[in-house]
Amino acid sequence: MYAVDATAALFVQRWNEAAGLPLGDCPVRGVLDRISDKWSMLLVMTLADAPKRFNQLRREVPDISQKMLTQTLRTLQRDGMVARQVFDTKPPAVEYRLTPLGQSIIVPVGYLIDWASKNHPRIDQARVAFDAAA
């Protein structure tokens, strides 16, 4: 058995409780699928500092296609993480902002970003060692 602190043990307990459900009914899985997709958290973190218009988002996440940006924003809206506001101008202006639910994920994702930054060299070393052994 691995030694884990109390917080980690609580997370493992919650995961095991959720995993006790049939996979199709696991509520944690659906949320984790969303936040771990290729674009969702990039857009959430891009919106973290201020609301932005569609083209601003495209410029700040330049490798996302227009179609994928539209789909991801709609999915984040559906999940209640992003709000879309249309302004009555000619042509209409549309702005996207994080909802309180979307803002609530910034700190946990920030911890993951911090962990990834600190451990990236170790992961790269492990990959090189694994590939060399193959």
Side-chain angles (χ1 to χ4, degrees):
M1 177 87 175
Y2 296 107
V4 295
D5 66 21
T7 302
L10 177 63
F11 291 147
V12 170
Q13 178 185 351
R14 288 183 183 161
W15 173 257
N16 287 335
E17 288 168 359
L21 299 170
L23 283 180
D25 297 332
C26 178
V28 173
R29 179 178 167 213
V31 173
L32 292 177
D33 285 348
R34 172 67 52 239
I35 65 172
S36 66
D37 74 21
K38 185 173 182 177
W39 302 110
S40 291
M41 288 305 102
L42 283 173
L43 291 174
V44 166
M45 296 309 280
T46 302
L47 289 168
D49 59 344
K52 294 186 173 56
R53 293 188 179 183
F54 187 88
N55 285 328
Q56 285 176 286
L57 290 168
R58 269 193 86 190
R59 283 190 298 274
E60 291 189 31
V61 185
D63 49 342
I64 191 171
S65 70
Q66 182 171 337
K67 178 182 177 183
M68 189 51 63
L69 177 56
T70 299
Q71 286 177 347
T72 305
L73 287 169
R74 283 187 183 148
T75 301
L76 289 168
Q77 282 180 262
R78 181 175 181 259
D79 288 347
M81 298 180 81
V82 168
R84 180 180 186 264
Q85 182 176 5
V86 180
F87 295 95
D88 191 19
T89 59
K90 301 240 183 206
V94 179
E95 186 176 81
Y96 296 89
R97 64 175 172 78
L98 292 181
T99 63
L101 179 63
Q103 291 171 353
S104 74
I105 199 167
I106 293 170
V107 171
V109 169
Y111 285 125
L112 183 58
I113 291 167
D114 187 50
W115 178 89
S117 295
K118 288 177 182 173
N119 289 289
H120 189 264
R122 291 173 55 198
I123 292 168
D124 276 349
Q125 290 172 353
R127 289 174 178 169
V128 168
F130 183 88
D131 292 347

